[in-house]
Amino acid sequence: MLGSLPHRALHQLANVHGPIMHLKLGLVPTIVVSSADAAKLFLKTHDAAFCSRPKTQASEVMSYGRKAMAFSEYGPHWRSMRKLCTLELLTNAKVEMFGGMRREEVRRVVEEIRGGGGAEFRRIVDEALKVAGAFNLNDFVPFLKVLDLQCSGIGIRPSNEESEQGIGCIIQPSHRPTYAKRKENHGNHKDFIDIMISLMDSDCAHEVQLDLDTIKALLLDLLAAGLDSTATTVTWAFAELIKHPFAMKKAQEELKDAIGLDRMVEEKDLVNLEYLNMVIKETMRLHPVAPLLVPRESIEDVIVNDYHIPKKSRLIINAWAIGRDPKAWSGDPEEFDPSRFANSDIDLSGRYFELIPFGAGRRGCPGLQMGLSSVQLVLGQLLHCFDWELPDGVSPRDLDMGEKFGLAVAKAEHLLIKPTYRLKST
Ligand code: HEM
């Protein structure tokens, strides 16, 4: 219907029909928003009316019958789950608490790269993201479900079984390293599962019936939402930096000046890395990993700009189009230029509607702090520890920047680059 890259097709349509479009996708009235001002109207002024998620086949499967959060409709279950996540799992204090684990993991990756190594779970998350992000015809024309024209059921079922097994394994006490062992590796820190299991019998579960299925659903939500978005953002940043050697050099110079070449990057260094943070914003402007965010659904009839929008309309925010809107971005909006953020207040919090890779409003990403800390640390560490170049004979101009659509839009081609260790110490 909208081709393999719907954010691009919808951008072209918006160039002709304007920043607020009404489309009839199958039987579902759908509003597509493609400018910062219009996004503010829907995600701030009328956020309360558009705060639900549509019921889709993929969301049913992904969330154990909508026991989780990301795909849940608005209501008491979503509110309690969101509270649980924001107050117990994703607070700034918890994000800081997981810092030791992030440091160890990134250090391990650096060692692996130096030594000149993917995991079973990555494959499950990739598959889950493919299912969740695809436009499923059955969700727009429900009576076609029996025909399953896109064979979506074939894609969904194995993924569900695999993720059931994978997630089950992660939670199983017999498959988890003992707390003592993890304490030895990461200090006195609990992980997500420790925290959720400890909440099962406590009063702090924020009215959630926290059974094992709910924990599994939430875990799949958090891993699917967090893992790929972070990895994909780092890959896009690297691809842009390879294409723009001046920006790569500037980021590495900043790291060298702030930290020196005698040690690796620590989380405490990240606040001083202004240019690195500009590189991340610019990467997320041009390559938001969820270019259409996650679809919303209206919970009541609402009038927006004199248009009557009926209850249960679908809302799609084209963050990809907004990031290259010439009315919002000066110079050439298609050009990768981190310095456009110098002396600018624009941040990623969802308050500046021209840059909303984490969404905004009630359903905005609760993992922003965790996602951003991971991207900063991984990108900063890899730029600091290694020089990077393309294989012999490949020029930056030839680098393929094609996209592969899913909930996280990744580079279609793997990025192949050669590292050379650049620190003095081991
Ligand atoms: C680079 C990293 C990340 C990006 C770009 C990102 C982006 C997004 C976006 C665009 C949305 C939809 C927002 C909306 O509808 O307005 C979202 C929702 C969500 N994200 Fe993230 N995310 C990232 C990392 C994470 C992490 C690390 C976690 C948790 C561990 C997480 C958990 C969630 C959840 C649970 C939702 C659904 C919220 C709801 O429906 O109430 N995300 N994210």
Side-chain angles (χ1 to χ4, degrees):
M1 211 163 17
L2 290 169
S4 59
L5 297 171
H7 52 294
R8 287 178 182 266
L10 291 170
H11 182 213
Q12 278 178 5
L13 270 182
N15 284 340
V16 178
H17 299 287
I20 304 179
M21 295 187 289
H22 172 229
L23 304 180
K24 200 79 190 270
L25 293 181
L27 300 181
V28 181
T30 303
I31 312 298
V32 183
V33 165
S34 310
S35 77
D37 287 345
K40 187 172 179 184
L41 203 56
F42 284 86
L43 298 183
K44 189 170 179 197
T45 316
H46 295 288
D47 184 41
F50 290 94
C51 61
S52 198
R53 300 276 191 221
K55 194 169 178 168
T56 63
Q57 259 188 311
S59 64
E60 282 291 308
V61 173
M62 282 282 292
S63 58
Y64 290 76
R66 305 193 358 125
K67 283 189 168 223
M69 178 171 66
F71 296 101
S72 290
E73 60 199 324
Y74 181 75
H77 177 74
W78 169 79
R79 263 199 309 273
S80 307
M81 291 295 267
R82 175 106 191 178
K83 217 159 147 193
L84 173 82
C85 278
T86 46
L87 297 181
E88 303 294 339
L89 299 173
L90 299 169
T91 57
N92 285 355
K94 289 280 175 357
V95 173
E96 264 177 42
M97 190 177 106
F98 298 137
M101 292 188 208
R102 274 194 297 277
R103 192 179 56 236
E104 280 312 309
E105 287 302 311
V106 177
R107 187 177 286 275
R108 201 177 46 76
V109 171
V110 168
E111 290 310 321
E112 267 179 36
I113 296 174
R114 278 188 81 185
E120 166 68 355
F121 191 71
R122 245 331 268 261
R123 195 170 63 78
I124 294 164
V125 172
D126 277 355
E127 178 63 17
L129 283 165
K130 229 164 53 198
V131 171
F135 266 79
N136 184 349
L137 197 54
N138 299 343
D139 296 328
F140 290 94
V141 193
F143 57 79
L144 291 181
K145 213 177 262 187
V146 283
L147 300 178
D148 199 15
L149 295 175
Q150 290 178 306
C151 302
S152 53
I154 291 170
I156 287 169
R157 254 175 258 119
S159 163
N160 192 31
E161 280 161 22
E162 281 184 347
S163 38
E164 172 68 40
Q165 277 174 12
I167 294 277
C169 269
I170 291 179
I171 297 183
Q172 274 290 325
S174 55
H175 288 83
R176 285 169 60 68
T178 61
Y179 184 50
K181 179 87 191 143
R182 279 179 288 127
K183 200 169 154 186
E184 198 184 297
N185 289 340
H186 307 302
N188 194 11
H189 296 321
K190 293 181 170 182
D191 64 20
F192 268 7
I193 302 170
D194 295 321
I195 296 172
M196 282 192 272
I197 288 176
S198 68
L199 286 173
M200 271 174 91
D201 302 317
S202 88
D203 294 337
C204 311
H206 305 283
E207 294 139 36
V208 177
Q209 188 62 40
L210 209 54
D211 53 22
L212 271 184
D213 265 3
T214 310
I215 293 186
K216 286 183 203 168
L218 191 55
L219 206 56
L220 182 59
D221 240 18
L222 297 180
L223 289 169
L227 212 62
D228 235 55
S229 42
T230 308
T232 303
T233 302
V234 173
T235 309
W236 280 120
F238 259 99
E240 288 291 3
L241 290 172
I242 289 279
K243 269 185 108 60
H244 298 88
F246 172 78
M248 169 85 90
K249 192 157 180 279
K250 199 162 170 184
Q252 287 186 310
E253 288 292 317
E254 179 186 65
L255 285 153
K256 190 170 97 183
D257 292 347
I259 298 162
L261 292 178
D262 296 322
R263 67 168 176 90
M264 290 170 81
V265 180
E266 300 285 338
E267 296 218 344
K268 64 176 166 41
D269 300 317
L270 297 173
V271 283
N272 302 321
L273 301 172
E274 205 182 324
Y275 192 73
L276 181 77
N277 288 320
M278 283 158 44
V279 166
I280 293 171
K281 284 185 203 171
E282 184 66 344
T283 302
M284 292 187 152
R285 178 183 74 82
L286 287 174
H287 308 283
V289 292
L292 302 177
L293 304 186
V294 179
R296 311 259 182 123
E297 190 178 79
S298 57
I299 55 170
E300 59 196 19
D301 286 5
V302 56
I303 308 254
V304 180
N305 269 10
D306 293 338
Y307 296 110
H308 173 256
I309 300 176
K311 182 177 170 177
K312 285 206 166 289
S313 294
R314 185 106 16 129
L315 173 66
I316 293 175
I317 306 284
N318 195 342
W320 186 90
I322 294 172
R324 36 191 38 84
D325 180 357
K327 291 203 186 83
W329 300 99
S330 58
D332 177 1
E334 292 288 344
E335 179 60 23
F336 179 82
D337 177 13
S339 65
R340 70 173 74 242
F341 288 102
N343 306 318
S344 153
D345 290 337
I346 297 178
D347 64 25
L348 294 159
S349 63
R351 282 177 301 150
Y352 297 88
F353 288 85
E354 54 273 65
L355 187 67
I356 45 170
F358 290 94
R362 282 175 176 69
R363 301 302 290 244
C365 179
L368 186 152
Q369 203 46 47
M370 178 168 282
L372 208 50
S373 301
S374 306
V375 170
Q376 288 170 328
L377 185 65
V378 174
L379 185 62
Q381 199 69 282
L382 294 179
L383 286 172
H384 186 53
C385 293
F386 301 97
D387 285 317
W388 299 91
E389 54 179 351
L390 286 164
D392 292 341
V394 185
S395 115
R397 259 178 292 125
D398 301 334
L399 195 63
D400 182 87
M401 297 291 273
E403 300 164 326
K404 190 168 61 177
F405 196 79
L407 195 60
V409 169
K411 255 186 103 286
E413 300 289 330
H414 287 296
L415 180 64
L416 293 175
I417 39 178
K418 286 195 303 189
T420 310
Y421 196 63
R422 78 176 196 136
L423 296 193
K424 288 184 197 143
S425 59
T426 51

mmCIF file of all heavy atoms in Angstrom, residues 350-381:
data_model
loop_
_atom_site.group_PDB
_atom_site.id
_atom_site.type_symbol
_atom_site.label_atom_id
_atom_site.label_comp_id
_atom_site.label_asym_id
_atom_site.label_seq_id
_atom_site.Cartn_x
_atom_site.Cartn_y
_atom_site.Cartn_z
ATOM 1 N N GLY A 350 11.585 15.863 23.885
ATOM 2 C CA GLY A 350 10.197 15.852 23.437
ATOM 3 C C GLY A 350 9.528 17.199 23.636
ATOM 4 O O GLY A 350 8.346 17.360 23.353
ATOM 5 N N ARG A 351 10.321 18.200 24.097
ATOM 6 C CA ARG A 351 9.742 19.541 24.250
ATOM 7 C C ARG A 351 9.901 20.352 22.972
ATOM 8 O O ARG A 351 9.269 21.352 22.757
ATOM 9 C CB ARG A 351 10.440 20.292 25.394
ATOM 10 C CG ARG A 351 9.968 19.854 26.767
ATOM 11 C CD ARG A 351 10.744 20.572 27.836
ATOM 12 N NE ARG A 351 12.170 20.288 27.712
ATOM 13 C CZ ARG A 351 13.132 21.135 28.068
ATOM 14 N NH1 ARG A 351 12.841 22.324 28.523
ATOM 15 N NH2 ARG A 351 14.414 20.796 27.947
ATOM 16 N N TYR A 352 10.836 19.918 22.109
ATOM 17 C CA TYR A 352 11.094 20.625 20.842
ATOM 18 C C TYR A 352 10.572 19.734 19.722
ATOM 19 O O TYR A 352 11.174 18.694 19.410
ATOM 20 C CB TYR A 352 12.599 20.885 20.690
ATOM 21 C CG TYR A 352 13.136 21.787 21.775
ATOM 22 C CD1 TYR A 352 13.590 21.255 22.984
ATOM 23 C CD2 TYR A 352 13.143 23.164 21.611
ATOM 24 C CE1 TYR A 352 14.052 22.073 23.990
ATOM 25 C CE2 TYR A 352 13.614 23.996 22.613
ATOM 26 C CZ TYR A 352 14.065 23.448 23.800
ATOM 27 O OH TYR A 352 14.521 24.277 24.789
ATOM 28 N N PHE A 353 9.447 20.142 19.133
ATOM 29 C CA PHE A 353 8.737 19.213 18.256
ATOM 30 C C PHE A 353 9.389 19.038 16.896
ATOM 31 O O PHE A 353 8.983 18.188 16.122
ATOM 32 C CB PHE A 353 7.262 19.630 18.160
ATOM 33 C CG PHE A 353 6.534 19.328 19.443
ATOM 34 C CD1 PHE A 353 6.553 20.226 20.502
ATOM 35 C CD2 PHE A 353 5.901 18.109 19.625
ATOM 36 C CE1 PHE A 353 5.934 19.936 21.707
ATOM 37 C CE2 PHE A 353 5.280 17.809 20.826
ATOM 38 C CZ PHE A 353 5.293 18.729 21.871
ATOM 39 N N GLU A 354 10.450 19.836 16.612
ATOM 40 C CA GLU A 354 11.168 19.599 15.359
ATOM 41 C C GLU A 354 12.115 18.406 15.479
ATOM 42 O O GLU A 354 12.630 17.908 14.489
ATOM 43 C CB GLU A 354 11.927 20.851 14.883
ATOM 44 C CG GLU A 354 12.892 21.499 15.850
ATOM 45 C CD GLU A 354 12.207 22.506 16.773
ATOM 46 O OE1 GLU A 354 11.360 22.070 17.586
ATOM 47 O OE2 GLU A 354 12.548 23.693 16.701
ATOM 48 N N LEU A 355 12.363 17.949 16.711
ATOM 49 C CA LEU A 355 13.281 16.817 16.922
ATOM 50 C C LEU A 355 12.645 15.860 17.942
ATOM 51 O O LEU A 355 12.799 16.037 19.149
ATOM 52 C CB LEU A 355 14.628 17.348 17.458
ATOM 53 C CG LEU A 355 15.740 16.317 17.571
ATOM 54 C CD1 LEU A 355 16.186 15.822 16.193
ATOM 55 C CD2 LEU A 355 16.962 16.903 18.293
ATOM 56 N N ILE A 356 11.908 14.862 17.444
ATOM 57 C CA ILE A 356 11.184 13.978 18.379
ATOM 58 C C ILE A 356 11.457 12.481 18.102
ATOM 59 O O ILE A 356 10.524 11.696 17.964
ATOM 60 C CB ILE A 356 9.661 14.257 18.365
ATOM 61 C CG1 ILE A 356 9.125 14.397 16.935
ATOM 62 C CG2 ILE A 356 9.319 15.466 19.197
ATOM 63 C CD1 ILE A 356 7.603 14.419 16.857
ATOM 64 N N PRO A 357 12.754 12.085 18.058
ATOM 65 C CA PRO A 357 13.022 10.659 17.823
ATOM 66 C C PRO A 357 12.543 9.768 18.967
ATOM 67 O O PRO A 357 12.402 8.557 18.791
ATOM 68 C CB PRO A 357 14.552 10.603 17.697
ATOM 69 C CG PRO A 357 15.033 11.794 18.445
ATOM 70 C CD PRO A 357 13.994 12.851 18.256
ATOM 71 N N PHE A 358 12.323 10.341 20.162
ATOM 72 C CA PHE A 358 11.801 9.561 21.286
ATOM 73 C C PHE A 358 10.308 9.808 21.482
ATOM 74 O O PHE A 358 9.736 9.419 22.508
ATOM 75 C CB PHE A 358 12.526 9.939 22.582
ATOM 76 C CG PHE A 358 13.969 9.486 22.639
ATOM 77 C CD1 PHE A 358 15.002 10.327 22.256
ATOM 78 C CD2 PHE A 358 14.296 8.207 23.071
ATOM 79 C CE1 PHE A 358 16.331 9.909 22.305
ATOM 80 C CE2 PHE A 358 15.621 7.780 23.135
ATOM 81 C CZ PHE A 358 16.641 8.640 22.746
ATOM 82 N N GLY A 359 9.645 10.453 20.486
ATOM 83 C CA GLY A 359 8.235 10.772 20.639
ATOM 84 C C GLY A 359 8.058 11.904 21.640
ATOM 85 O O GLY A 359 9.027 12.595 22.010
ATOM 86 N N ALA A 360 6.824 12.084 22.106
ATOM 87 C CA ALA A 360 6.528 13.171 23.052
ATOM 88 C C ALA A 360 5.194 12.880 23.712
ATOM 89 O O ALA A 360 4.446 12.020 23.262
ATOM 90 C CB ALA A 360 6.469 14.499 22.300
ATOM 91 N N GLY A 361 4.923 13.617 24.785
ATOM 92 C CA GLY A 361 3.618 13.490 25.445
ATOM 93 C C GLY A 361 3.508 12.218 26.284
ATOM 94 O O GLY A 361 4.509 11.572 26.607
ATOM 95 N N ARG A 362 2.258 11.891 26.607
ATOM 96 C CA ARG A 362 1.995 10.760 27.522
ATOM 97 C C ARG A 362 2.637 9.454 27.083
ATOM 98 O O ARG A 362 3.053 8.660 27.898
ATOM 99 C CB ARG A 362 0.490 10.520 27.628
ATOM 100 C CG ARG A 362 -0.252 11.480 28.518
ATOM 101 C CD ARG A 362 -1.744 11.196 28.419
ATOM 102 N NE ARG A 362 -2.530 12.023 29.328
ATOM 103 C CZ ARG A 362 -2.698 13.344 29.202
ATOM 104 N NH1 ARG A 362 -2.111 13.995 28.229
ATOM 105 N NH2 ARG A 362 -3.457 14.004 30.061
ATOM 106 N N ARG A 363 2.666 9.196 25.755
ATOM 107 C CA ARG A 363 3.225 7.922 25.276
ATOM 108 C C ARG A 363 4.675 8.072 24.826
ATOM 109 O O ARG A 363 5.228 7.154 24.218
ATOM 110 C CB ARG A 363 2.391 7.349 24.124
ATOM 111 C CG ARG A 363 0.936 7.050 24.400
ATOM 112 C CD ARG A 363 0.682 6.091 25.527
ATOM 113 N NE ARG A 363 1.036 4.718 25.356
ATOM 114 C CZ ARG A 363 0.177 3.690 25.355
ATOM 115 N NH1 ARG A 363 -1.117 3.912 25.449
ATOM 116 N NH2 ARG A 363 0.599 2.434 25.285
ATOM 117 N N GLY A 364 5.303 9.218 25.103
ATOM 118 C CA GLY A 364 6.708 9.395 24.740
ATOM 119 C C GLY A 364 7.574 8.328 25.420
ATOM 120 O O GLY A 364 7.173 7.717 26.413
ATOM 121 N N CYS A 365 8.776 8.138 24.886
ATOM 122 C CA CYS A 365 9.622 7.026 25.352
ATOM 123 C C CYS A 365 10.042 7.177 26.819
ATOM 124 O O CYS A 365 10.712 8.144 27.179
ATOM 125 C CB CYS A 365 10.873 6.959 24.486
ATOM 126 S SG CYS A 365 11.995 5.652 25.000
ATOM 127 N N PRO A 366 9.683 6.200 27.673
ATOM 128 C CA PRO A 366 10.122 6.272 29.071
ATOM 129 C C PRO A 366 11.588 5.847 29.242
ATOM 130 O O PRO A 366 12.161 6.022 30.309
ATOM 131 C CB PRO A 366 9.189 5.283 29.777
ATOM 132 C CG PRO A 366 8.815 4.295 28.720
ATOM 133 C CD PRO A 366 8.847 5.031 27.403
ATOM 134 N N GLY A 367 12.179 5.295 28.154
ATOM 135 C CA GLY A 367 13.562 4.806 28.254
ATOM 136 C C GLY A 367 14.560 5.805 27.702
ATOM 137 O O GLY A 367 15.712 5.438 27.443
ATOM 138 N N LEU A 368 14.109 7.065 27.509
ATOM 139 C CA LEU A 368 14.981 8.069 26.878
ATOM 140 C C LEU A 368 16.352 8.152 27.563
ATOM 141 O O LEU A 368 17.390 8.049 26.911
ATOM 142 C CB LEU A 368 14.268 9.416 26.919
ATOM 143 C CG LEU A 368 14.919 10.588 26.196
ATOM 144 C CD1 LEU A 368 13.842 11.570 25.739
ATOM 145 C CD2 LEU A 368 15.921 11.340 27.033
ATOM 146 N N GLN A 369 16.338 8.288 28.880
ATOM 147 C CA GLN A 369 17.598 8.472 29.596
ATOM 148 C C GLN A 369 18.515 7.261 29.422
ATOM 149 O O GLN A 369 19.699 7.394 29.148
ATOM 150 C CB GLN A 369 17.290 8.710 31.086
ATOM 151 C CG GLN A 369 18.356 9.422 31.857
ATOM 152 C CD GLN A 369 18.901 10.648 31.131
ATOM 153 O OE1 GLN A 369 18.131 11.466 30.625
ATOM 154 N NE2 GLN A 369 20.218 10.746 31.035
ATOM 155 N N MET A 370 17.893 6.070 29.545
ATOM 156 C CA MET A 370 18.697 4.853 29.417
ATOM 157 C C MET A 370 19.226 4.689 27.994
ATOM 158 O O MET A 370 20.393 4.377 27.764
ATOM 159 C CB MET A 370 17.856 3.644 29.817
ATOM 160 C CG MET A 370 18.614 2.347 29.663
ATOM 161 S SD MET A 370 17.771 0.994 30.442
ATOM 162 C CE MET A 370 18.179 1.276 32.129
ATOM 163 N N GLY A 371 18.334 4.937 27.001
ATOM 164 C CA GLY A 371 18.741 4.795 25.596
ATOM 165 C C GLY A 371 19.854 5.768 25.262
ATOM 166 O O GLY A 371 20.870 5.397 24.661
ATOM 167 N N LEU A 372 19.675 7.013 25.689
ATOM 168 C CA LEU A 372 20.662 8.038 25.361
ATOM 169 C C LEU A 372 22.002 7.757 26.034
ATOM 170 O O LEU A 372 23.052 7.865 25.403
ATOM 171 C CB LEU A 372 20.114 9.400 25.808
ATOM 172 C CG LEU A 372 20.586 10.623 25.063
ATOM 173 C CD1 LEU A 372 20.458 10.454 23.559
ATOM 174 C CD2 LEU A 372 19.776 11.841 25.519
ATOM 175 N N SER A 373 21.956 7.337 27.307
ATOM 176 C CA SER A 373 23.224 7.031 28.002
ATOM 177 C C SER A 373 23.966 5.918 27.285
ATOM 178 O O SER A 373 25.192 5.970 27.137
ATOM 179 C CB SER A 373 22.978 6.561 29.431
ATOM 180 O OG SER A 373 22.302 7.519 30.145
ATOM 181 N N SER A 374 23.216 4.902 26.808
ATOM 182 C CA SER A 374 23.873 3.782 26.132
ATOM 183 C C SER A 374 24.478 4.228 24.812
ATOM 184 O O SER A 374 25.618 3.884 24.485
ATOM 185 C CB SER A 374 22.889 2.643 25.861
ATOM 186 O OG SER A 374 22.250 2.278 27.043
ATOM 187 N N VAL A 375 23.704 5.028 24.034
ATOM 188 C CA VAL A 375 24.228 5.490 22.745
ATOM 189 C C VAL A 375 25.486 6.332 22.971
ATOM 190 O O VAL A 375 26.507 6.140 22.305
ATOM 191 C CB VAL A 375 23.157 6.317 21.977
ATOM 192 C CG1 VAL A 375 23.768 6.998 20.754
ATOM 193 C CG2 VAL A 375 21.995 5.434 21.556
ATOM 194 N N GLN A 376 25.424 7.250 23.955
ATOM 195 C CA GLN A 376 26.586 8.113 24.206
ATOM 196 C C GLN A 376 27.814 7.294 24.568
ATOM 197 O O GLN A 376 28.892 7.487 24.029
ATOM 198 C CB GLN A 376 26.286 9.073 25.371
ATOM 199 C CG GLN A 376 25.306 10.163 25.023
ATOM 200 C CD GLN A 376 24.849 10.926 26.270
ATOM 201 O OE1 GLN A 376 24.750 10.361 27.360
ATOM 202 N NE2 GLN A 376 24.554 12.200 26.099
ATOM 203 N N LEU A 377 27.613 6.330 25.478
ATOM 204 C CA LEU A 377 28.769 5.566 25.954
ATOM 205 C C LEU A 377 29.351 4.678 24.844
ATOM 206 O O LEU A 377 30.563 4.664 24.627
ATOM 207 C CB LEU A 377 28.391 4.706 27.167
ATOM 208 C CG LEU A 377 29.577 3.973 27.781
ATOM 209 C CD1 LEU A 377 30.593 4.950 28.378
ATOM 210 C CD2 LEU A 377 29.128 3.000 28.875
ATOM 211 N N VAL A 378 28.466 3.968 24.123
ATOM 212 C CA VAL A 378 28.967 3.042 23.091
ATOM 213 C C VAL A 378 29.654 3.825 21.977
ATOM 214 O O VAL A 378 30.787 3.528 21.581
ATOM 215 C CB VAL A 378 27.817 2.179 22.532
ATOM 216 C CG1 VAL A 378 28.300 1.324 21.358
ATOM 217 C CG2 VAL A 378 27.230 1.290 23.618
ATOM 218 N N LEU A 379 28.967 4.870 21.493
ATOM 219 C CA LEU A 379 29.549 5.649 20.394
ATOM 220 C C LEU A 379 30.852 6.314 20.848
ATOM 221 O O LEU A 379 31.884 6.225 20.167
ATOM 222 C CB LEU A 379 28.525 6.699 19.925
ATOM 223 C CG LEU A 379 28.925 7.521 18.702
ATOM 224 C CD1 LEU A 379 29.105 6.639 17.477
ATOM 225 C CD2 LEU A 379 27.864 8.594 18.404
ATOM 226 N N GLY A 380 30.811 6.964 22.024
ATOM 227 C CA GLY A 380 32.004 7.651 22.525
ATOM 228 C C GLY A 380 33.162 6.675 22.700
ATOM 229 O O GLY A 380 34.290 6.945 22.284
ATOM 230 N N GLN A 381 32.876 5.514 23.279
ATOM 231 C CA GLN A 381 33.955 4.548 23.541
ATOM 232 C C GLN A 381 34.577 4.040 22.243
ATOM 233 O O GLN A 381 35.800 3.959 22.111
ATOM 234 C CB GLN A 381 33.365 3.365 24.336
ATOM 235 C CG GLN A 381 34.347 2.528 25.064
ATOM 236 C CD GLN A 381 34.978 3.284 26.227
ATOM 237 O OE1 GLN A 381 35.870 4.104 26.031
ATOM 238 N NE2 GLN A 381 34.525 3.023 27.430
#
